[in-house]
Amino acid sequence: MRKIHKTFLCLALIIGLCACGQKAPTWQEQYDLGVRYLSEGNYEDAIIAFTAAIEIDPKWAPAYVGRGDAYVLSGETEENLTAAKADFEKAIELDETDAEAYLGLADIYIRQGDYDKALEILRDGIEKAGENQVITDKLAEVEDLAGSNTDSPED
């Protein structure tokens, strides 16, 4: 409910600026604002800014990745992880070469303890985004985690 309220507040702000003869903010301005808020640790405002960028132009994957990151960093609640997962999936749908989207989505599955799904996402990321050292390193890290979770103690 709170997210809906913030979304309407953003829309009202944009409409209000237009009605006053002000130039409406661009996608890039809202995105840059979201990045700034994210770097400052102001996750709620980052979510609002990225949402505004998405409303202006819903076909730009980086805004979904930014909002997904903000949801994760604002707290590991089930609601935030679900919202972040949807954003990372949407980013991949829009741009299957976006390495950050694969890393973010894999991170959700890691946080949920689903290492097999995280490995699948990372392998897809390497296949579709091309060789990426960060994805390759994360893949090796998750393979180690998955292996350590399946080892059974010897009697």
Side-chain angles (χ1 to χ4, degrees):
M1 187 66 168
R2 207 164 125 195
K3 290 179 200 169
I4 294 171
H5 176 71
K6 288 180 183 180
T7 302
F8 285 124
L9 182 61
C10 279
L11 283 174
L13 176 64
I14 291 170
I15 292 168
L17 288 173
C18 290
C20 295
Q22 298 286 330
K23 179 182 167 198
T26 65
W27 173 90
Q28 188 67 53
E29 290 168 336
Q30 289 299 312
Y31 175 79
D32 291 344
L33 186 60
V35 170
R36 189 181 92 212
Y37 286 142
L38 193 60
S39 71
E40 294 171 352
N42 188 348
Y43 306 124
E44 286 188 27
D45 286 341
I47 291 167
I48 293 170
F50 287 125
T51 299
I54 290 166
E55 289 169 353
I56 294 167
D57 190 344
K59 295 187 181 202
W60 284 95
Y64 291 95
V65 172
R67 188 170 70 177
D69 288 340
Y71 277 127
V72 171
L73 293 169
S74 66
E76 282 192 44
T77 65
E78 190 61 37
E79 180 183 8
N80 285 345
L81 293 178
T82 299
K85 181 181 172 205
D87 279 344
F88 294 131
E89 288 172 341
K90 182 65 176 179
I92 292 168
E93 176 187 319
L94 292 169
D95 179 4
E96 66 180 21
T97 66
D98 191 325
E100 293 300 317
Y102 289 100
L103 288 164
L105 185 56
D107 183 55
I108 297 296
Y109 286 109
I110 292 165
R111 289 170 188 265
Q112 295 174 334
D114 190 346
Y115 299 110
D116 290 337
K117 188 66 176 174
L119 289 169
E120 177 186 327
I121 296 299
L122 292 168
R123 289 181 185 124
D124 283 348
I126 289 172
E127 178 184 322
K128 293 178 181 160
E131 278 300 317
N132 177 297
Q133 191 59 49
V134 178
I135 295 178
T136 302
D137 292 346
K138 190 62 152 182
L139 180 63
E141 178 186 324
V142 177
E143 285 173 339
D144 288 344
L145 281 172
S148 68
N149 283 334
T150 59
D151 291 343
S152 59
E154 294 183 22
D155 291 58

